[in-house]
Amino acid sequence: MLSRFPPSAVSLAGDAAMVALWGLAFGAVPVAWSTWITRAVPDEAESAGGLFVAAINFAIATGAAAGGALFDANGFSSVFVASGVALFLAGLTIVSTVRTKPA
């Protein structure tokens, strides 16, 4: 029998829609990052970009280590719960602290 992951997945079409939505959402992220960096520090955009890439790689490594520890301790569902909580807190932080400037 074919096991579905995550167990709450309902259909192949739903899975495909979620993957497509993720791809569309993530496709805009590198463009937004580059635009933000060039506007924030136009004279040092290359240096800032390098530091940003280093920060992203550090975050990926930290997330992988924490996710692996959670998986070993409590199974895969704890990884999804923890990542959902982290995403919620990150969104809350962004909404409450980032102020946009009028064009």
Side-chain angles (χ1 to χ4, degrees):
M1 180 174 177
L2 183 62
S3 173
R4 296 193 50 89
F5 185 78
S8 63
V10 177
S11 68
L12 181 60
D15 294 347
M18 288 183 355
V19 170
L21 181 62
W22 170 255
L24 289 170
F26 187 72
V29 170
V31 176
W33 282 338
S34 298
T35 303
W36 174 61
I37 287 171
T38 56
R39 287 183 179 179
V41 283
D43 296 342
E44 297 292 330
E46 289 182 15
S47 298
L51 288 172
F52 202 67
V53 168
I56 292 167
N57 286 328
F58 178 74
I60 291 170
T62 304
L70 279 171
F71 181 82
D72 284 346
N74 301 316
F76 74 88
S77 61
S78 65
V79 177
F80 288 110
V81 170
S83 61
V85 169
L87 181 61
F88 176 76
L89 292 174
L92 189 63
T93 301
I94 290 168
V95 168
S96 65
T97 60
V98 174
R99 303 288 177 239
T100 59
K101 296 181 205 174

